[in-house]
Amino acid sequence: MKTLRFGIEIETVGLGRAGLARAIHSVVGGTVSDEYRGARILDARGRTWRVVPDGSLSGGENSGEIVSPVLGYDDIEELQNVIRAVRGAGGRADASCGIHIHIDGSRFDAKSVTNLVKLVHKQERLLEHALGVSESRLARYCRPIDAGFIQRLEARRPKTMQEVSDAWYGYRNTSPQRYDQSRYHGLNLNSLFFRGTIELRYFNGTLHAGEVKAYIQLALAMAAKALASKAASSKRREFNPATAKYDFRVVLLHLGLIGDEFKTARLHLTKKLAGSAAWKGERRDRRPAEAAMTESEEAGDARAA
């Protein structure tokens, strides 16, 4: 997962686009230039950050979307500093904001894309609850994976990217467009066929640097799992709110988010879920402090997942 490249779009309110550009520049250096209704920051390493308007945001002119350059895993710390600078300058996130993570699609073929679709579909209810996706976003900008798409994948077992595209659109689309309506799904493959990136749109807007890092780690871990797997099951997992925290922690371990390095990510990604992270059922014979699992037990859960 640490070798995958990614980009991120972070929607904000509370700060105008000029203010967003200054906050980014204060971290990445370089030069700032005006762009139509936005700004472009050419950072000290020659990479371009952009601030663009977004009509879906509640803040009007006092809002904007941060579009990162292509980043690597080692760039996450600098990205977090950008987020902290934006928050310190007055930026914030509200219910109109979201975060979109783009994974470089150049390493994906028909099998690995299909694996990713099935992996996400299987755990999608858990994902939606863990990430706190609102009903309004699920209905409009972040729709679940289409059942017809899954049926076409299962029936056709695509061997080529063209066959995956045919299954995604439901027809032979020879000229994908950026604003095709199929883009408004939590897992957006229109982006793959239009620009070469797999977009994950499940994430609520936030300017909490730790949460954003956790979201990126989750996205990269799912992509890496899909690339490494020989096959995947698309059978949708039943969502049980009573055991959701434990269930999703096991999913995270199975994705490789094990150990102290990912402890904070696991906390952020399970904190909205009910139940215990340590036990599938209620343990009345142990005090809460005794219920914490060791890393070796976590690794055992990951192998069993």
Side-chain angles (χ1 to χ4, degrees), residues 46-120:
R47 304 179 303 182
T48 298
W49 300 71
R50 298 177 63 219
V51 178
V52 299
D54 188 319
S56 69
L57 299 176
S58 67
E61 290 302 308
N62 211 34
S63 68
E65 180 178 317
I66 300 165
V67 181
S68 81
V70 176
L71 301 173
Y73 197 84
D74 290 343
D75 295 313
I76 293 177
E77 184 176 354
E78 182 176 57
L79 173 65
Q80 289 184 286
N81 288 333
V82 166
I83 292 165
R84 295 180 182 110
V86 168
R87 187 178 62 198
R92 56 187 176 83
D94 66 9
S96 71
C97 298
I99 287 176
H100 308 150
I101 297 173
H102 290 258
I103 306 296
D104 177 18
S106 64
R107 290 168 58 178
F108 284 80
D109 58 13
K111 183 182 78 171
S112 52
V113 171
T114 300
N115 285 346
L116 180 61
V117 172
K118 290 181 177 181
L119 185 159
V120 173

Side-chain angles (χ1 to χ4, degrees), residues 28-46:
V28 304
T31 60
V32 180
S33 57
D34 291 336
E35 201 169 55
Y36 175 67
R37 297 189 62 206
R40 181 185 298 265
I41 303 96
L42 184 66
D43 71 18
R45 296 165 61 183

Side-chain angles (χ1 to χ4, degrees), residues 89-152:
R92 56 187 176 83
D94 66 9
S96 71
C97 298
I99 287 176
H100 308 150
I101 297 173
H102 290 258
I103 306 296
D104 177 18
S106 64
R107 290 168 58 178
F108 284 80
D109 58 13
K111 183 182 78 171
S112 52
V113 171
T114 300
N115 285 346
L116 180 61
V117 172
K118 290 181 177 181
L119 185 159
V120 173
H121 182 261
K122 180 177 181 178
Q123 308 293 353
E124 195 167 40
R125 293 297 312 284
L126 260 177
L127 275 171
E128 291 165 357
H129 284 81
L131 298 172
V133 188
S134 69
E135 290 297 326
S136 61
R137 290 187 64 228
L138 285 173
R140 187 173 181 184
Y141 297 117
C142 186
R143 300 196 299 268
I145 292 174
D146 183 68
F149 172 46
I150 288 291
Q151 291 169 2
R152 290 189 291 272

Side-chain angles (χ1 to χ4, degrees), residues 26 58 67 84 92 98 103 129 161 187 193 215 217 248 288:
S26 72
S58 67
V67 181
R84 295 180 182 110
R92 56 187 176 83
I103 306 296
H129 284 81
M161 290 298 288
L187 175 63
F193 303 122
Y215 294 165
Q217 289 173 324
F248 197 55

Side-chain angles (χ1 to χ4, degrees), residues 176-203:
Q177 301 298 309
R178 178 179 181 182
Y179 293 109
D180 188 278
Q181 285 300 302
S182 69
R183 73 195 291 259
Y184 294 114
H185 286 83
L187 175 63
N188 170 23
L189 294 190
N190 179 67
S191 180
L192 177 63
F193 303 122
F194 173 71
R195 69 173 75 181
T197 65
I198 296 170
E199 183 183 29
L200 293 166
R201 301 172 56 91
Y202 294 100
F203 309 104

